[in-house]
Amino acid sequence: MEVLPSLLMEVRPLLTLPSTDEELLKLTSDKCLWEDEKFGPFAKKFADKDAFFESYAKAHKALSELGSKFENVE
């Protein structure tokens, strides 16, 4: 059963990701977002949903004013 200790070593660092949702799947690629020198500040800023949606609304408005068309996808 050498696989189990290896798996635990891979998963254990992921438990340090900023999240209060215990059921949220956390991948190694997710952890990289928080640690990356250039992307990390964005990950931290947009971890706050209000900050994300405020920025998204501004970008969506700007694109709309420039003539972009958005279609409903269902």
Side-chain angles (χ1 to χ4, degrees), residues 43-60:
K44 291 174 182 113
K45 175 182 178 181
F46 293 126
D48 174 15
K49 289 180 184 178
D50 292 334
F52 171 80
F53 284 112
E54 180 182 340
S55 183
Y56 173 82
K58 288 178 184 176
H60 191 98

Side-chain angles (χ1 to χ4, degrees), residues 2 6 11 14 18-19 24 37-38 42 48 54 60 64:
E2 205 52 40
S6 297
V11 172
L14 301 180
S19 175
L24 184 64
E37 180 182 320
K38 294 190 181 202
F42 294 104
D48 174 15
E54 180 182 340
H60 191 98
S64 295

Side-chain angles (χ1 to χ4, degrees), residues 7-62:
L7 179 62
L8 290 175
M9 293 303 290
E10 179 68 21
V11 172
R12 187 172 293 139
L14 301 180
L15 300 177
T16 61
L17 283 177
S19 175
T20 56
D21 187 347
E22 292 298 321
E23 295 182 16
L24 184 64
L25 176 65
K26 300 169 188 136
L27 303 174
T28 302
S29 56
D30 298 328
K31 182 180 177 189
C32 293
L33 297 176
W34 295 94
E35 295 177 349
D36 185 77
E37 180 182 320
K38 294 190 181 202
F39 192 84
F42 294 104
K44 291 174 182 113
K45 175 182 178 181
F46 293 126
D48 174 15
K49 289 180 184 178
D50 292 334
F52 171 80
F53 284 112
E54 180 182 340
S55 183
Y56 173 82
K58 288 178 184 176
H60 191 98
K61 181 178 185 264

